[in-house]
Amino acid sequence: MRRNSVLAMVALCAAGALHAETMDRMVLSRGGVVLEVSAPASGIMRIRMGRGTLPEDASWAVPAAARRTRLPLNVTRGSDVLQLSAAHIGARIDMRTLRVDVLDGVGKLLLADLAGRSALSGEGGFRMRGRMSGDDHVFGLGDKTGTFDRKGGAYTMWNSDTYKFTQATDPLYKTIPFFMTVSDRGQAYGLFLDNTWRTTFDFGKTERGMLSISGEGGPVDYYVMAGPAPKDVLQQYARLTGTPPLMPQWALGFQQSKWSYKTDAEVRAIAQRLRSERMPSDVVYMDIDYQDRSRPFTVNGATFPDMRKLATDLRGQGIRLVLITDPHVANAPGQGYAAYDGGAARDLFLKLPGGQYYSGDVWPGAAVFPDFSRVQARRWWGDLYAGFVGDGVAGFWNDMNEPSIFNVPSKTMPLDVVHRIESDDFAPRSTSHAEMHNVYGQLNSRATYEGLARLQPDVRPFVLTRATYAGGQRYAATWTGDNVSSWQHLKTGMQQLVNLGLSGFSWVGNDVGGYAGEPPSPELLTRWFQLGAFMPLFRAHAETGRPDQEPWVGDAVQVEIRRRFISERYRLLPYLYATAEENSRSGIPLLRPVFLNFPSVLANGDRLGGSEDQFMVGGDLLLAPSPTLESPGDYNVELPGKDWYDYWTGRRLDGKSQTVKPDIAQLPVYVRPGAIIPKQPLVQSTAFVPEGRLELHVYPGADCHGDLYADDGISMAYQRGSFLRQHIRCEESQSGLKILFEQREGSWRPWWSGVELYIHGWESDAPPEVHAFGAAVAASVDRAQKAALIQVPDMVNGSVEISRSR
């Protein structure tokens, strides 16, 4: 509907009579400010506001298809108030002030706007304010440090290279201006501000009980998601900004990195040691020292004489290479440096206002920077990977892309550096680095991802980025940057990863063992490997000049503990991969706070119902490290309910409360009653096919179910139907247990020919009577695991009936 006609109808309503109508958006104007409200999807309200005109309808985070979808708005008009309702969300607009209160699907207030048109300043900035509920907790904003619950804090969105950051450091590497509030009752809503400029979120730090969102420039363009459950909010946010792709399965394997393995011989020795130590692994990373003078897209031929042979030989051991490629291209005209020459010939580097290339000091010395806001520059960048891809390199690591600049106080480029936007549905224009800074890393990783997809259309790309913006989860995994080897960083790092998952980024990890600072103690390194084995991205990394901290470093006892946990991760790969595939469809993260699966725990109060210290992997595994990781003192674990199981022993637990005595050899892991966990025989790499049967560990309880997902792990064939997906349920009765295998989807033929069922919580020493396909099946009892063991053929569909008595 045209704006003028809307304004005319508003004028006609002045008499005050209520009447209703339907439209696809509401546009109002007061005092030179224009407001637009629309509903791009069920449970989502979009609000845009500008001075004189609406901001451009374009985004680096939300694709055009998501922005341009508009559900019908039912509009009820009064003299001063408009009431809007759409699918599962609504709004109330004060026509005098343009204040917009967002309501849930039943008309309950979610977010009260206390600013309206006065939020816009005359200088181009804005400040929005809203009242917060007293029992709300706030999560998200990416990998910010501070408290796990953001309430009471203030945070700045400005991508920054923060070496050895602390609990008080802000800003950090990423800008993800999305948060979710969750009440003690487990009810949630989310807010995403789609603005790439420097912004600040204040959750009652400056003004108690008040939410304040301010920016130095850019649009007022935000989305409110009505939930009502935390998972609903995440799925609504994924509806806008996209889900992560299904990464290659090897990305779930253990990944060994260091700045730097400096020679071909050293890389080969690391790979050989991983194999000889029986440390399952899939990736070795190569940092900047493989390059010629730290120049991206070069190789030092003296230390790495044959990259193709190195990649091929390691691939034969089940190990892939991932290479770093930073965005700083050496400023080296006339030196035969192909990356510079190609970019300069196409005029693709960022410039100063005077027209000359901007040059800043980074690892290669003076460097220039691609203008990734131009589709031509992204395509050129992506094509630079052709040589490495041809050599068999499997993935790429985009670091230093905040962008980081040495020897300047700001640690980045000047704000007046000129970007030329020529991309997507943006109107072509020039703009300043002040607008593009926070999205530079996201566009860098996008260029890499899209280039790899063009070069190998049937191979899943793997990209790891340090800096990014909302929506960047569509292109790359990420990690938390230059952490420190300390117990505090280990604890903080887990909370960072959980909040990243609550911000749309599921493929996340931190540098296992710590990147910088004093070297880790043997116990700290071991504990980090234990927790790392449950992170979505499991990568050990450390800076140069430190003692070695690979998993085999130290005494035999510590090494064996690390080996056991890395091996357990590989046994859990069927569960992890099924969870990753679910994430690629739903946006629900792999690593979750307890309240995401069990919202009611927040009402318990103490340490967010355990969510500050505990976390879950998928829907079924709960990890409960000590609240003070370095302490030898006993601690209490409050589980979300009764009848949970000990993962390591299979024993059913009494009660919700468990007292744990810390032991460096153990990490408390619990299983949801009703879980069905698939596991596989141990392999040393995802490149190797497991031998034997698939294990299904059944933990009887309410809502008993689990999922299998499998495909070839590397190609895009799953998008063409070459996958296996199967839902499994169990039904418990007084007479026994029935395991139901629902009909499989997809055409993928799995590696297993049979299934071994472990029915946990089996108290009898006598095996059960079992029937599958109507025939009797032999069973036994594993007394150590308190489990009945049953071997059955591969179950395409059908049921297994287990009797409690013989």
Side-chain angles (χ1 to χ4, degrees):
M1 180 174 290
R2 292 187 178 182
R3 186 176 129 214
N4 288 342
S5 62
V6 173
L7 296 176
M9 283 191 289
V10 171
L12 291 172
C13 304
L18 292 173
H19 67 279
E21 57 194 291
T22 301
M23 58 185 65
D24 70 345
R25 61 178 180 144
M26 171 58 68
V27 181
L28 298 169
S29 180
R30 288 291 183 276
V33 172
V34 183
L35 171 75
E36 179 193 81
V37 180
S38 61
S42 176
I44 305 175
M45 193 71 77
R46 184 186 186 190
I47 299 165
R48 298 198 296 149
M49 188 162 53
R51 190 168 292 282
T53 185
L54 290 170
E56 181 182 16
D57 188 5
S59 173
W60 302 110
V62 184
R67 282 182 284 110
R68 291 176 182 170
T69 299
R70 291 176 181 152
L71 301 185
L73 286 176
N74 299 311
V75 183
T76 302
R77 299 175 178 273
S79 58
D80 297 319
V81 175
L82 289 177
Q83 192 89 14
L84 312 180
S85 64
H88 304 295
I89 198 165
R92 183 171 55 237
I93 305 174
D94 184 320
M95 291 191 291
R96 297 165 301 177
T97 64
L98 300 186
R99 282 179 44 182
V100 181
D101 295 338
V102 182
L103 316 172
D104 67 11
V106 296
K108 180 182 176 183
L109 182 66
L110 290 177
L111 182 65
D113 178 3
L114 302 184
R117 59 190 173 93
S118 65
L120 300 180
S121 74
E123 293 75 37
F126 62 89
R127 180 171 180 251
M128 302 184 294
R129 296 169 65 246
R131 192 173 301 283
M132 300 174 66
S133 173
D135 69 343
D136 278 349
H137 308 278
V138 183
F139 306 97
L141 299 186
D143 56 357
K144 298 290 190 183
T145 56
T147 58
F148 179 51
D149 182 349
R150 310 300 192 195
K151 192 171 184 179
Y155 304 89
T156 297
M157 301 291 138
W158 188 251
N159 292 359
S160 303
D161 182 355
T162 49
Y163 176 69
K164 297 171 72 170
F165 59 88
T166 71
Q167 276 286 87
T169 303
D170 186 66
L172 290 174
Y173 301 94
K174 301 167 185 65
T175 290
I176 309 173
F178 165 77
F179 67 86
M180 171 170 59
T181 74
V182 188
S183 73
D184 284 342
R185 302 177 305 283
Q187 296 217 308
Y189 75 85
L191 187 149
F192 168 50
L193 173 68
D194 194 1
N195 183 316
T196 63
W197 292 65
R198 187 184 187 105
T199 56
T200 299
F201 288 72
D202 188 321
F203 301 102
K205 181 177 181 179
T206 303
E207 193 176 359
R208 186 177 178 86
M210 298 300 297
L211 164 68
S212 174
I213 304 172
S214 58
E216 297 177 354
V220 172
D221 186 354
Y222 66 98
Y223 301 80
V224 179
M225 288 133 270
K231 282 186 179 179
D232 296 327
V233 172
L234 292 186
Q235 290 178 300
Q236 290 157 354
Y237 180 65
R239 180 80 174 264
L240 294 172
T241 63
T243 60
L246 181 58
M247 295 278 186
Q249 190 180 32
W250 57 259
L252 286 170
F254 174 59
Q255 306 178 26
Q256 182 60 53
S257 182
K258 182 182 178 180
W259 175 33
S260 272
Y261 300 128
K262 297 184 178 182
T263 66
D264 179 286
E266 191 174 0
V267 172
R268 291 177 183 275
I270 291 294
Q272 182 57 42
R273 188 73 184 269
L274 286 165
R275 290 292 168 256
S276 66
E277 292 281 354
R278 304 292 295 171
M279 298 285 186
S281 49
D282 270 79
V283 179
V284 171
Y285 282 70
M286 292 168 60
D287 210 319
I288 58 175
D289 288 306
Y290 80 86
Q291 298 169 342
D292 176 15
R293 291 166 287 176
S294 300
R295 295 179 172 187
F297 300 102
T298 66
V299 176
N300 184 335
T303 52
F304 291 91
D306 193 335
M307 185 67 75
R308 177 170 296 187
K309 181 168 174 36
L310 176 62
T312 300
D313 291 350
L314 264 61
R315 191 72 68 92
Q317 299 177 63
I319 293 177
R320 289 170 163 83
L321 282 181
V322 172
L323 303 187
I324 196 169
T325 51
D326 294 339
H328 42 247
V329 174
N331 191 357
Q335 298 181 30
Y337 175 34
Y340 176 88
D341 292 343
R346 296 168 178 81
D347 194 25
L348 300 178
F349 298 127
L350 292 172
K351 295 180 179 180
L352 293 167
Q356 67 273 38
Y357 288 148
Y358 166 72
S359 181
D361 290 342
V362 208
W363 295 119
V368 292
F369 296 80
D371 185 353
F372 292 118
S373 59
R374 302 175 63 192
V375 66
Q376 182 185 2
R378 294 200 303 272
R379 187 174 186 92
W380 161 80
W381 175 269
D383 290 345
L384 292 175
Y385 289 96
F388 286 145
V389 168
D391 285 342
V393 175
F396 298 92
W397 168 21
N398 295 151
D399 202 348
M400 305 293 290
N401 54 358
E402 290 73 32
S404 177
I405 308 294
F406 297 161
N407 305 322
V408 292
S410 69
K411 299 197 287 190
T412 193
M413 60 181 64
L415 298 186
D416 62 353
V417 165
V418 178
H419 297 248
R420 290 175 288 169
I421 297 177
E422 297 167 0
S423 182
D424 303 316
D425 55 346
F426 285 89
R429 59 184 173 90
S430 294
T431 190
S432 70
H433 190 66
E435 177 180 353
M436 298 304 299
H437 174 87
N438 282 335
V439 79
Y440 192 83
Q442 187 232 52
L443 293 176
N444 175 204
S445 61
R446 176 180 175 180
T448 304
Y449 179 89
E450 292 174 343
L452 298 178
R454 286 194 308 273
L455 292 167
Q456 293 182 299
D458 202 40
V459 176
R460 300 177 211 174
F462 177 79
V463 182
L464 180 66
T465 187
R466 189 169 74 177
T468 192
Y469 178 70
Q473 69 269 15
R474 303 195 299 267
Y475 313 116
T478 191
W479 87 108
T480 57
D482 296 343
N483 62 355
V484 172
S485 299
S486 73
W487 291 102
Q488 181 59 57
H489 261 261
L490 175 54
K491 180 181 177 65
T492 296
M494 297 311 302
Q495 294 181 346
Q496 287 180 290
L497 299 186
V498 172
N499 262 316
L500 275 166
L502 296 176
S503 308
F505 285 79
S506 299
W507 286 88
V508 294
N510 54 45
D511 289 344
V512 170
Y515 175 78
E518 294 297 317
S521 67
E523 294 77 15
L524 174 58
L525 185 59
T526 294
R527 190 64 86 194
W528 218 314
F529 268 96
Q530 291 172 324
L531 288 167
F534 294 92
M535 297 177 192
L537 190 73
F538 185 16
R539 185 182 80 138
H541 184 54
E543 70 174 340
T544 190
R546 286 160 56 94
D548 291 343
Q549 58 187 60
E550 285 79 11
W552 55 78
V553 170
D555 65 73
V557 172
Q558 301 287 344
V559 171
E560 178 54 35
I561 297 170
R562 298 168 201 155
R563 180 185 295 111
R564 178 161 56 86
F565 275 81
I566 297 172
S567 298
E568 191 62 29
R569 180 185 181 91
Y570 275 73
R571 300 237 308 121
L572 266 174
L573 278 174
Y575 175 75
L576 297 174
Y577 195 49
T579 306
E581 192 274 336
E582 177 200 3
N583 165 249
S584 73
R585 290 182 289 112
S586 70
I588 303 300
L590 285 73
L591 200 66
R592 308 173 185 178
V594 178
F595 71 75
L596 192 62
N597 290 327
F598 301 95
S600 62
V601 301
L602 287 174
N604 297 341
D606 186 40
R607 305 187 71 78
L608 300 176
S611 289
E612 275 194 12
D613 313 305
Q614 304 166 7
F615 59 92
M616 295 192 70
V617 180
D620 296 326
L621 299 181
L622 187 153
L623 278 71
S626 171
T628 50
L629 289 166
E630 68 275 30
S631 170
D634 294 359
Y635 63 98
N636 192 61
V637 173
E638 290 292 329
L639 295 169
K642 296 180 179 179
D643 296 327
W644 282 63
Y645 294 78
D646 185 305
Y647 175 79
W648 304 108
T649 68
R651 182 172 61 90
R652 194 196 303 258
L653 303 172
D654 296 327
K656 296 171 58 175
S657 182
Q658 304 296 316
T659 300
V660 177
K661 185 175 182 60
D663 179 351
I664 193 60
Q666 302 296 330
L667 178 67
V669 181
Y670 303 99
V671 186
R672 177 186 69 85
I676 301 177
I677 306 287
K679 297 173 72 171
Q680 68 180 29
L682 178 62
V683 291
Q684 293 298 302
S685 165
T686 62
F688 305 147
V689 178
E691 297 179 0
R693 294 174 175 269
L694 177 74
E695 296 177 10
L696 286 179
H697 291 255
V698 180
Y699 301 86
D703 190 22
C704 187
H705 69 272
D707 290 284
L708 288 178
Y709 179 84
D711 56 31
D712 66 19
I714 53 174
S715 81
M716 308 301 290
Y718 74 97
Q719 295 183 341
R720 303 187 292 273
S722 184
F723 63 86
L724 180 157
R725 183 183 292 117
Q726 187 171 31
H727 188 63
I728 306 166
R729 296 181 291 115
C730 70
E731 296 176 353
E732 200 170 9
S733 66
Q734 289 185 348
S735 60
L737 193 70
K738 180 184 285 189
I739 314 296
L740 299 103
F741 293 78
E742 296 185 0
Q743 184 67 44
R744 281 182 180 165
E745 301 175 48
S747 60
W748 175 252
R749 295 177 64 88
W751 54 264
W752 62 87
S753 59
V755 174
E756 190 161 42
L757 292 169
Y758 286 72
I759 311 301
H760 291 276
W762 190 263
E763 299 297 334
S764 174
D765 289 339
E769 288 184 355
V770 181
H771 289 81
F773 300 112
V777 176
S780 60
V781 175
D782 182 334
R783 291 180 175 83
Q785 280 276 318
K786 293 280 188 183
L789 271 62
I790 306 157
Q791 291 188 352
V792 297
D794 186 29
M795 303 290 288
V796 176
N797 69 307
S799 64
V800 177
E801 297 186 17
I802 303 158
S803 174
R804 291 192 184 279
S805 59
R806 297 187 66 86

